Amino acid sequence: CAALLAGCAAAAAPWARRKAAPAPPALSPFSAAVEARDFRAAIKHAPAAYTRWWRRLLRDEPHHVAVETLLIVFLAYVLLGGKRKPKRTSEKLTDKEIDALVQEWAPEPLVPPPSDAAKALANRRRVVAAADRTGRVVVRPDAATSSWAKGAPANAEGVTALNCGAFDFLAMSGEAAVRDAAAAALSKYGCGSCGPRGFYGSIDVHEQLEARVAAFAGTEQAIAFSDAASCCTSTVAAFAKRGDLLLVDDGVCEPLRTGCVLSRAKVLAYRHNDVADLRSVMAAVAADDARKKRAPGTQRRFVICEAISRDHGGDVAPLKEILALKAEFGYRLILDESLSWGVLGATGRGLKEAAGVTDALAVEVTTVDLAPAFGSLGGLCVGSREVVAHQRLSGAGYCFSAAAPPFYSAAALAALAVVDGKTGVDRLAALRANAKGLRAGLREAFGASSTSSLVVVGPASPDVPFALLALRRSSSSSDDDDDG
């Protein structure tokens, strides 16, 4: 009975059938030492514990062991097998040995010795020096250089010739009033302007020059730049942006080309001074507007050209025809008058005066170079108040370039006074007479009937005081070009 009761009690208590929980595993000697804070014993048992851990890891996760092994090898290589200094193969030289080597060293010549032809050419070399008369130079043999420095006469052993190597159309570089004004400004203000115009580089002569040029051009305002090339480049980039349209004469000078690139506007070229081609390009743009149902006013559009071409022999742009086309198709005009100011027109006011354009703002943007006719350096942009005010904040050449030296502006002011004064008309008349004589002489010497290797480029106006000469192309080379 007692056994039966015990069996029933066991059946009634299911928990009695559960096995007792296994005892926790015994700690390893390393873990036991760590828990007991016996660090000496822990250090003693650490290698064995790391070995057991490594074997268990190798058994359970072999890929993890492979990666760790590679990392350990790499660290060992970096720490122990780094760059080593190369062993010296020779001993250090003494100062005496270095001096001996320097004495024995013979350098090779930078250039080969001159040939007999080069020596003959050097013997015929001439040196150009300033002459007493403005616009003239003295050409002397090179062998007399030492005698000039000792105070030889201005015309000793030399020939006085016309200076054709400078853009000084009105001989302002030798004008006494211009020189005196530059010297006085240099004494008063010093050499540099010490900063951009928008910061602390503006000086009273800069503003006087802007006002004087605006009055001379008959426009509302003018803005002065320290460099004529940056004036052209900055002006184009200030008004045209991505999405705008530029119709550019394919013969414009490099500064205008650079401005077109910097503007990131769409550029379409028309043939140099070809009004018919310009009309066809404008008509194609208008047809594209109609096809896309685009209003012309949604896009800023400009025509860009030079009054007198620098790279095509001095031919003059057909300004009246261009103005008629821009008004018909809704464009604005950027005109570079760098070579026409002080040259064209009855009073030297440029192409607009020569073409009979009485509205000074018919050309929205005009750029001018002071070097060719006004005996100075720098550029100006003339136009309406809006055109000038926009560039004072958006013209890179104005905002980020140092202002022109004050004596440049003073010299330009004096030159403008001469051109706009009593003797200005006589000086312009003499310039045109000299220009016609120059071109007639060049045509006779380098015309189509001459046997010279040079030829005059372009059908330039007889009033343009410079000419471009190019190498004559032989008939054989022309045939090759036609074939290829």
Side-chain angles (χ1 to χ4, degrees):
C1 290
L4 181 61
L5 292 173
C8 292
W15 58 84
R17 296 193 301 269
R18 296 176 183 174
K19 295 182 180 179
L27 295 176
S28 65
F30 175 76
S31 300
V34 171
E35 287 191 0
R37 296 181 179 276
D38 187 0
F39 297 111
R40 289 186 178 181
I43 295 173
K44 179 179 179 182
H45 295 293
Y50 182 75
T51 302
R52 287 194 300 271
W53 173 81
W54 188 265
R55 289 176 179 175
R56 185 172 63 253
L57 189 65
L58 181 62
R59 183 184 67 250
D60 298 340
E61 299 181 13
H63 59 280
H64 184 76
V65 175
V67 173
E68 280 201 3
T69 303
L70 290 176
L71 290 175
I72 292 173
V73 172
F74 176 73
L75 290 175
Y77 171 77
V78 171
L79 297 176
L80 303 178
K83 296 181 179 179
R84 298 178 180 177
K85 295 182 179 180
K87 295 182 179 180
R88 292 184 178 273
T89 57
S90 61
E91 296 181 357
K92 185 177 179 180
L93 297 177
T94 63
D95 293 341
K96 186 176 181 180
E97 292 173 334
I98 294 175
D99 293 338
L101 290 175
V102 170
Q103 292 294 333
E104 296 173 359
W105 179 65
E108 296 182 358
L110 296 177
V111 295
S115 61
D116 294 338
K119 292 179 180 179
L121 181 62
N123 293 332
R124 296 195 303 269
R125 183 170 54 190
R126 299 293 183 267
V127 175
V128 179
D132 294 336
R133 295 179 59 190
T134 302
R136 301 294 190 273
V137 292
V138 175
V139 183
R140 301 188 181 94
D142 190 27
T145 303
S146 59
S147 64
W148 308 339
K150 296 178 182 178
N155 58 354
E157 303 180 14
V159 177
T160 301
L162 182 66
N163 183 10
C164 294
F167 277 84
D168 188 16
F169 298 152
L170 298 178
M172 288 296 178
S173 62
E175 181 67 27
V178 176
R179 289 175 175 267
D180 294 343
L186 188 61
S187 300
K188 179 179 179 180
Y189 301 103
C191 183
S193 57
C194 301
R197 291 288 308 277
F199 293 92
Y200 43 83
S202 284
I203 300 175
D204 55 357
V205 287
H206 295 144
E207 299 180 359
Q208 293 168 13
L209 177 62
E210 291 174 344
R212 185 70 180 84
V213 167
F216 183 78
T219 57
E220 294 177 352
Q221 288 186 0
I223 180 172
F225 293 79
S226 58
D227 179 71
S230 65
C231 173
C232 295
T233 301
S234 175
T235 298
V236 175
F239 289 102
K241 297 291 184 288
R242 188 187 300 274
D244 297 337
L245 177 63
L246 303 177
L247 300 190
V248 184
D249 186 308
D250 64 2
V252 295
C253 58
E254 187 273 337
L256 290 176
R257 292 175 181 267
T258 303
C260 295
V261 173
L262 294 179
S263 70
R264 298 173 295 176
K266 181 180 180 181
V267 177
L268 298 178
Y270 66 93
R271 287 193 293 271
H272 176 60
N273 284 351
D274 191 334
V275 179
D277 189 54
L278 176 59
R279 172 178 282 278
S280 65
V281 174
M282 289 182 171
V285 173
D288 187 61
D289 290 340
R291 185 174 62 257
K292 296 180 179 179
K293 297 181 179 180
R294 178 179 57 196
T298 59
Q299 184 185 46
R300 287 175 294 193
R301 297 176 176 180
F302 297 88
V303 177
I304 300 177
C305 63
E306 289 179 286
I308 295 179
S309 174
R310 187 185 301 269
D311 298 332
H312 285 261
D315 47 353
V316 180
L319 181 60
K320 278 195 169 181
E321 292 81 354
I322 293 175
L323 289 176
L325 285 178
K326 87 172 185 69
E328 178 182 350
F329 289 92
Y331 285 74
R332 298 180 180 92
L333 177 60
I334 298 177
L335 178 65
D336 180 25
E337 291 222 49
S338 294
L339 297 176
S340 60
W341 255 45
V343 173
L344 300 181
T347 59
R349 282 169 168 80
L351 179 58
K352 285 182 282 189
E353 183 183 33
V357 178
T358 56
D359 183 5
L361 298 180
V363 178
E364 286 80 4
V365 183
T366 303
T367 57
V368 177
D369 185 358
L370 294 175
F374 294 98
S376 183
L377 291 176
L380 289 104
C381 179
V382 298
S384 64
R385 291 183 179 86
E386 292 78 8
V387 166
V388 171
H390 177 70
Q391 292 187 82
R392 294 200 189 277
L393 292 178
S394 300
Y398 181 89
C399 296
F400 303 109
S401 295
F407 67 90
Y408 282 178
S409 299
L413 282 168
L416 273 170
V418 173
V419 174
D420 203 22
K422 296 180 179 179
T423 62
V425 176
D426 296 336
R427 194 180 289 257
L428 290 169
L431 174 65
R432 294 189 182 95
N434 291 338
K436 292 178 182 178
L438 171 67
R439 193 158 294 276
L442 291 175
R443 293 288 184 191
E444 182 180 354
F446 304 109
S449 59
S450 70
T451 58
S452 173
S453 59
L454 297 176
V455 63
V456 181
V457 176
S461 167
D463 292 339
V464 175
F466 71 93
L468 181 64
L469 300 179
L471 291 174
R472 187 185 301 274
R473 300 175 65 182
S474 62
S475 58
S476 60
S477 64
S478 300
D479 297 338
D480 294 341
D481 291 343
D482 295 338
D483 295 340

